[in-house]
Amino acid sequence: MTLDNLLGISLETIEPDSLTIRRLLEAAKRNIHDSHLSGLSNENRFDAAYKAIMQIANAALQTRGFRTLTSKPGHHQTMIQSLVKTLDVDFETVIVLDALRKQRNVADYSGDVVTDAAVKECITQAELLLSMVSEKCKPDVL
């Protein structure tokens, strides 16, 4: 599979904009910082780390000249799955990230409690992706 195979289904092409990409990555850094704030609830810390993951995945897609069609369902899942192509993330990590996506949905839509372990894993994954994005993405776009 290539990202081009998803055009019109879940992705569209864009002209990479270095300012937008930098803003997404700066926002991700702020969200990772916020996810470490012990005064916040686990749900808010998890949300901040998960949001950082989405911002990083979005930035990685945009450096490749794509973005998700947010008008179609499943754009978070598409962003996670695209990390295999954009940041060379392995399939085991995609499984972990998808589990975090599902946890976020359960917490948001059912009010389930987010465990300390889930918060820690989400923060860890966000930090790993942030370190990968600067190594793997085109330097002229960043």
Side-chain angles (χ1 to χ4, degrees):
M1 179 199 82
T2 67
L3 295 175
D4 288 323
N5 292 358
L6 299 175
L7 284 175
I9 299 167
S10 57
L11 294 179
E12 64 183 347
T13 59
I14 61 162
E15 187 64 37
D17 176 21
S18 59
L19 179 60
T20 299
I21 293 164
R22 281 195 304 272
R23 284 182 181 164
L24 282 167
L25 294 176
E26 289 302 317
K29 289 175 189 175
R30 290 191 302 273
N31 278 308
I32 290 170
H33 174 268
D34 289 353
S35 72
H36 286 282
L37 297 175
S38 60
L40 296 177
S41 68
N42 276 359
E43 290 74 20
N44 284 323
R45 293 177 64 213
F46 183 90
D47 279 347
Y50 179 81
K51 188 174 180 181
I53 290 169
M54 290 297 98
Q55 289 164 328
I56 295 162
N58 189 3
L61 258 178
Q62 289 194 29
T63 64
R64 302 297 195 268
F66 297 94
R67 74 172 164 214
T68 58
L69 294 169
T70 56
S71 61
K72 307 245 180 173
H75 58 277
H76 282 215
Q77 191 171 20
T78 298
M79 281 194 278
I80 289 169
Q81 292 171 348
S82 72
L83 288 166
V84 172
K85 298 295 182 187
T86 59
L87 296 181
D88 296 325
V89 170
D90 59 53
F91 289 111
E92 291 78 17
T93 300
V94 169
I95 291 168
V96 170
L97 293 172
D98 196 53
L100 294 171
R101 178 188 64 79
K102 290 175 184 175
Q103 173 65 49
R104 178 245 181 201
N105 287 346
V106 169
D108 279 1
Y109 300 112
S110 299
D112 280 12
V113 174
V114 177
T115 65
D116 291 340
V119 172
K120 182 179 177 185
E121 184 63 34
C122 201
I123 293 169
T124 298
Q125 292 300 323
E127 291 173 337
L128 287 171
L129 288 175
L130 186 62
S131 68
M132 292 176 77
V133 76
S134 61
E135 295 172 18
K136 306 277 183 176
C137 290
K138 299 176 189 174
D140 59 322
V141 178
L142 298 176

